[in-house]
Amino acid sequence: MVQPYKHEPLTDFSIEANRQAYLQALKTIEGELGKDYDLVIGGEKVSTEDRIISVNPANKQEVIGRVSKANQELAEIAMQAAVEAFKTWKKTKPEVRADVLFKAAAIIRRRKHEFSALMTKEAGKPWSEADADTAEGIDFLEYYGRQMLALKNGMSVQSRPNEHNRYGYIPLGVGVIISPWNFPFAIMAGTTVAAIVSGNTVLLKPASTTPVIAAKFVEVMEEAGLPKGVLNFVPGSGSEVGDYLVDHKDTRFISFTGSREVGLRIFERSSKISEGQIWMKRLIAEMGGKDTIVVDSEADLELAAQSIVASAFGFSGQKCSACSRAVVVEDVYEQVLNRVVELTNQLTVGDPSDISNFMGPVNDHGAFKKIMEYIEVGKQEGKLMTGGEGDSSKGFFIQPTVFADLDRKARLMQEEIFGPVVGFTKAKNFDEAIEIANNTEYGLTGAVISRNRAHIEQAREDFHVGNLYINRGCTGAIVGYQPFGGFNMSGTDSKAGGPDYLLLHMQAKTTSEMF
Ligand code: NAP
């Protein structure tokens, strides 16, 4: 009998022993910097000449690791390994599959700070953000393991006299998992193990800026007893390996998390039938957001300001759920804006290895350039209240930035920036605030700060986002508590960490026997 599961607690870094443990983990990681990591194909390590060089975004000179890079030829060998392994893995009992996840969770829990510290180095995550990422990864392992046990006997259907009907779920086949760098552990691991525990075999292509944490996770899955060929590790360029695997005739499904642009490309390509392909590929695509916090005139304004700042600038705004728009009813607009500026001015930016820095760097040169360009656009479109500066001499640092008085249709209010920038706009009343909140092509997260019950209910019905939060910020979904996924151009609303998620990786089969 599996124990019910709550969720992995976050580390309290006000406790000295926890701080020391994290510093020790950072030292361990520093001792491993620059190591080589291989591909894993059919359980065998494969080393290539061509490598992805993963660097610390807070210190470009620091090499985190050198990771072998798959090309199309190696991707093909990995595909065949996954096709072969599927023949036995699909028949492995769900309990056994779930146990691999539970054991992996236990291994990671024991080495928790090591995983988090690696993310501090490889992804520029401040301690608490990295700790939450690792905790979420553990949660996915524990939660999906239990979900598989709950689903293993299918659902009940009726039978007539002398007839016996069964309705169960079987795996799909080979899945291609393509993950982003911003939750380099939780999303990478969660999407991979959901597919695996459902009985599929996979090829994992992690983001090219965070392949080392993914390599470490693959080692853990092997240590937890995953048979060869079930998880094939094929880091490589999105356009080369990604396209090849998306187009492949043996790919049965794709689980993608990333930008709208790449998600739509995969959506289009995966709908074309390749020669020899005998199914319609299934696509799970979780994409970008342009998430809004709405502040009502009847609201706790301190809560509003705190929620906006935490949701806009946590992990430098590099979350699909980050608050990048604040829509405030005009009576309280100045008050909320001024308080947000005040709080933003207290934030510290610097190397995330130092716990005193609230914000670390942005992901890489491309992200730095794009965000700085948006800041220039913002200066034309609105009023710069604070921030606006960037420094990429050592790492990719950008000050938390607030723009006021933006038009609701301004680019800054419509396009995903994916950085520490939040734009304010004024609404005449609550109706108009909800109208503005719904005016983008995305629909991922949103929050409403209000004391007015009728307005809260109105938002519940009319604010069209996959994850709506009331009287709190719009980031920080917890597995099993707030299943996560968005509407419209935010993706296929797969609801990761929710009760329906594994079903996306399976197909239902009906059998009917006459007695
Ligand atoms: P991205 O540029 O779209 O990359 C995501 C993944 O796709 C990476 O592994 C990337 O590989 C790969 N890729 C690139 N081109 C490809 C192609 N042609 N075919 C197949 N794969 C390809 O996104 P990102 O910058 O890593 O992540 C940030 C985005 O993810 C934001 O838009 C954010 O909102 C979104 N996101 C959404 C969720 C959600 O749950 N909705 C969660 C997290 C992030 P390379 O790294 O090699 O290019």
Side-chain angles (χ1 to χ4, degrees):
M1 178 71 189
V2 177
Q3 300 296 318
Y5 180 72
K6 289 211 163 124
H7 67 91
E8 186 65 19
L10 299 179
T11 306
D12 180 353
F13 288 117
S14 69
I15 297 171
E16 179 60 21
N18 289 341
R19 280 209 299 273
Q20 288 305 326
Y22 204 90
L23 287 170
Q24 187 53 48
L26 279 166
K27 272 210 187 100
T28 305
I29 294 303
E30 274 160 13
E32 294 181 355
L33 293 180
K35 266 180 64 177
D36 289 331
Y37 297 86
D38 295 330
L39 309 178
V40 181
I41 298 178
E44 305 305 324
K45 295 206 154 121
V46 179
S47 170
T48 62
E49 292 256 308
D50 197 11
R51 284 174 185 261
I52 301 171
I53 311 295
S54 173
V55 298
N56 179 351
N59 176 6
K60 296 181 273 186
Q61 303 306 321
E62 190 171 75
V63 173
I64 306 302
R66 294 154 34 87
V67 182
S68 284
K69 197 172 175 186
N71 53 23
Q72 293 186 1
E73 214 181 313
L74 289 165
E76 179 60 36
I77 298 172
M79 175 58 80
Q80 294 321 314
V83 168
E84 193 54 33
F86 181 61
K87 293 177 188 159
T88 45
W89 184 244
K90 69 178 176 185
K91 296 199 169 175
T92 304
K93 284 205 306 200
E95 289 86 343
V96 175
R97 304 196 306 243
D99 278 349
V100 175
L101 271 61
F102 298 141
K103 180 159 181 188
I107 295 169
I108 293 160
R109 197 176 278 116
R110 282 198 287 272
R111 295 168 51 192
K112 192 170 166 178
H113 295 324
E114 192 190 318
F115 276 84
S116 305
L118 175 53
M119 282 188 272
T120 294
K121 287 284 184 184
E122 191 176 36
K125 285 214 166 191
W127 294 24
S128 55
E129 297 284 346
D131 182 62
D133 196 321
T134 308
E136 188 178 3
I138 294 171
D139 285 346
F140 278 132
L141 287 155
E142 296 278 3
Y143 181 81
Y144 291 143
R146 283 165 177 73
Q147 281 302 121
M148 189 62 235
L149 297 179
L151 289 168
K152 72 184 166 64
N153 296 324
M155 297 286 171
S156 71
V157 286
Q158 308 222 11
S159 297
R160 291 167 296 186
N162 290 322
E163 179 189 64
H164 182 46
N165 297 327
R166 285 197 210 164
Y167 184 76
Y169 301 109
I170 62 169
L172 291 172
V174 176
V176 175
I177 313 292
I178 302 172
S179 57
W181 51 265
N182 72 328
F183 281 85
F185 182 65
I187 293 182
M188 176 274 308
T191 49
T192 301
V193 302
I196 286 176
V197 80
S198 307
N200 306 289
T201 56
V202 304
L203 289 90
L204 166 61
K205 198 219 85 63
S208 292
T209 48
T210 53
V212 174
I213 183 87
K216 293 256 180 202
F217 163 72
V218 172
E219 285 170 11
V220 168
M221 292 303 283
E222 189 186 342
E223 187 184 338
L226 195 68
K228 291 178 192 296
V230 175
L231 167 52
N232 300 280
F233 183 53
V234 286
S237 128
S239 49
E240 189 187 352
V241 178
D243 278 350
Y244 182 76
L245 292 174
V246 164
D247 296 347
H248 203 286
K249 74 172 174 46
D250 292 330
T251 296
R252 179 67 182 83
F253 68 100
I254 297 140
S255 176
F256 167 82
T257 313
S259 63
R260 171 190 180 280
E261 186 195 353
V262 176
L264 292 184
R265 178 186 178 92
I266 294 175
F267 179 56
E268 252 187 76
R269 293 185 83 106
S270 64
S271 66
K272 296 218 169 73
I273 307 296
S274 299
E275 202 178 326
Q277 181 183 326
I278 57 165
W279 45 60
M280 290 156 65
K281 288 174 190 162
R282 201 180 279 183
L283 173 63
I284 301 165
E286 290 308 310
M287 318 193 302
K290 189 70 190 169
D291 312 303
T292 309
I293 294 186
V294 167
V295 185
D296 195 1
S297 49
E298 294 170 61
D300 177 340
L301 301 186
E302 181 60 20
L303 172 70
Q306 298 273 359
S307 304
I308 291 167
V309 171
S311 306
F313 302 128
F315 189 37
S316 309
Q318 301 175 110
K319 300 182 188 178
C320 51
S321 56
C323 169
S324 68
R325 324 193 313 153
V327 178
V328 186
V329 173
E330 61 185 10
D331 323 11
V332 294
Y333 180 84
E334 292 297 330
Q335 215 179 323
V336 175
L337 175 63
N338 291 335
R339 183 65 183 140
V340 163
V341 170
E342 214 172 83
L343 290 170
T344 304
N345 288 337
Q346 293 166 15
L347 301 179
T348 46
V349 183
D351 190 329
S353 297
D354 179 347
I355 192 175
S356 65
N357 286 324
F358 173 81
M359 259 175 54
V362 298
N363 184 46
D364 61 3
H365 178 68
F368 181 85
K369 193 165 162 282
K370 178 180 159 199
I371 298 162
M372 291 309 293
E373 281 167 11
Y374 270 112
I375 288 175
E376 287 311 308
V377 172
K379 288 178 187 167
Q380 305 301 315
E381 290 183 330
K383 186 170 161 202
L384 176 65
M385 300 297 292
T386 187
E389 304 287 322
D391 177 0
S392 62
S393 50
K394 186 173 182 207
F396 305 105
F397 296 99
I398 298 179
Q399 293 299 321
T401 300
V402 180
F403 282 103
D405 306 344
L406 290 157
D407 185 89
R408 65 186 69 176
K409 283 285 180 191
R411 284 185 63 197
L412 234 67
M413 294 300 273
Q414 293 294 320
E415 298 171 19
E416 187 181 47
I417 301 170
F418 222 58
V421 181
V422 63
F424 272 69
T425 197
K426 213 179 270 179
K428 276 199 218 62
N429 50 39
F430 192 76
D431 285 349
E432 192 181 80
I434 293 295
E435 205 181 292
I436 299 170
N438 284 332
N439 82 352
T440 77
E441 59 179 22
Y442 295 103
L444 189 47
T445 77
V448 170
I449 313 291
S450 175
R451 287 197 175 111
N452 181 316
R453 175 53 52 191
H455 286 172
I456 290 173
E457 291 314 309
Q458 181 183 347
R460 214 190 285 276
E461 268 184 35
D462 298 339
F463 195 162
H464 195 61
V465 289
N467 283 58
L468 177 65
Y469 300 105
I470 297 157
N471 288 323
R472 52 160 284 184
C474 60
T475 59
I478 292 177
V479 172
Y481 288 64
Q482 291 102 11
F484 192 81
F487 301 155
N488 296 345
M489 285 300 175
S490 291
T492 52
D493 191 35
S494 66
K495 289 295 186 276
D500 307 323
Y501 191 67
L502 290 192
L503 291 175
L504 301 171
H505 306 76
M506 294 187 266
Q507 52 197 343
K509 181 168 183 174
T510 301
T511 60
S512 184
E513 180 181 356
M514 296 309 294
F515 291 151

